Amino acid sequence: MTSAYDRSYLYRAQKSLGRMLDFAVHELGLETEAFWTLFLESGVADGFGRGESRLLAGMSGIELAYEVLDRTKTKYRRVKKPVCRDEKGPEYWAAWALAHYQWLRGLAFAEIDLIAPIKVVVGMYSPYHEMDISQFVDEIDRLYRAVHPETNLRRMRERFGISQGDLASISGVSVRTIQEFEQRRKDINKAQLDTVYPLAQALCTTIESLVERVP
């Protein structure tokens, strides 16, 4: 799985998104969930997640907040002298952590919001802000798998209307291997090309459609 933009931009992306939400809530006085909904609906979230340079590297967090409000035609009053907030509170941390997760997994912010709404993530501030970011990633992965218990392979196979045995016969991949992929006992993302390609061909799909975005 390939991230939307180079890792060298990640630090700035996290800081910008964190500052954006913190500024919107604490200096513009907007409600956290309401502003995050505007962020998702404005197109800024999609562009940011795709790595659009203007949004990712060309704007500060404050400018991103204004961009969201301008695009959604939301009325607001500009802050003449924004406060430089050194304390990274729950809102800052939540957006900062989501920027990392979105970059790592390549999911759209809107997809992540379905499994971990911003209110839930803000509520994770304690104790996760004191932990390594990998532990936050593990928890969001767990929530994702709870919502999406079926692997892409199983979903595609059932949509195609064949059994594991049928797929094994057509593809030449053993039933045991197919079962291990579908039960997540073996990671299809790490499988050899000569294993995944026959499965994709047998299901008339692409290798990319069988890869798990969340391992």
Side-chain angles (χ1 to χ4, degrees):
M1 180 169 50
T2 304
S3 300
Y5 52 90
D6 189 83
R7 189 185 186 96
S8 61
Y9 292 102
L10 179 58
Y11 176 73
R12 175 163 185 165
Q14 289 181 269
K15 286 189 65 176
S16 293
L17 215 66
R19 178 58 168 141
M20 176 196 75
L21 185 58
D22 183 85
F23 175 76
V25 173
H26 294 286
E27 296 186 56
L28 294 180
L30 301 172
E31 197 273 332
T32 304
E33 291 175 88
F35 178 79
W36 196 255
T37 297
L38 294 176
F39 170 63
L40 297 177
E41 294 176 347
S42 65
V44 173
D46 289 337
F48 192 94
R50 289 195 303 269
E52 288 185 16
S53 59
R54 176 175 174 270
L55 299 174
L56 195 67
M59 290 186 171
S60 67
I62 293 173
E63 290 169 331
L64 277 175
Y66 287 144
E67 181 78 5
V68 168
L69 297 174
D70 288 340
R71 288 195 188 189
T72 55
K73 295 180 172 54
T74 302
K75 292 183 179 180
Y76 65 93
R77 180 176 295 176
R78 282 186 174 259
V79 178
K80 292 183 178 180
K81 294 184 178 180
V83 177
C84 181
R85 290 170 55 87
D86 293 326
E87 181 182 357
K88 297 177 176 58
E91 291 79 16
Y92 181 101
W93 174 84
W96 175 91
L98 285 170
H100 178 91
Y101 188 81
Q102 189 279 326
W103 171 84
L104 181 67
R105 294 295 182 232
L107 297 167
F109 282 105
E111 292 180 90
I112 300 170
D113 191 67
L114 292 174
I115 58 170
I118 190 64
K119 183 178 181 180
V120 170
V121 179
V122 170
M124 294 170 66
Y125 174 75
S126 182
Y128 282 93
H129 78 287
E130 297 179 338
M131 300 180 183
D132 186 84
I133 189 63
S134 63
Q135 292 178 277
F136 171 78
V137 168
D138 288 343
E139 178 59 14
I140 303 302
D141 282 351
R142 185 191 68 77
L143 294 174
Y144 182 93
R145 288 191 291 267
V147 174
H148 303 282
E150 294 184 350
T151 61
N152 290 336
L153 176 60
R154 178 174 178 176
R155 186 161 50 250
M156 294 297 294
R157 177 180 61 77
E158 292 181 345
R159 184 182 301 171
F160 206 67
I162 60 175
S163 67
Q164 291 177 338
D166 293 334
L167 180 56
S169 297
I170 299 169
S171 66
V173 178
S174 71
V175 172
R176 180 182 178 83
T177 297
I178 293 171
Q179 289 173 338
E180 288 176 330
F181 285 151
E182 291 193 357
Q183 294 168 8
R184 300 185 193 274
R185 286 189 283 117
K186 184 178 288 187
D187 188 355
I188 197 169
N189 294 10
K190 298 178 181 178
Q192 296 294 320
L193 182 62
D194 58 6
T195 298
V196 184
Y197 183 66
L199 291 172
Q201 278 200 313
L203 295 171
C204 298
T205 189
T206 63
I207 291 175
E208 289 74 16
S209 68
L210 298 182
V211 169
E212 293 296 316
R213 316 250 324 255
V214 175

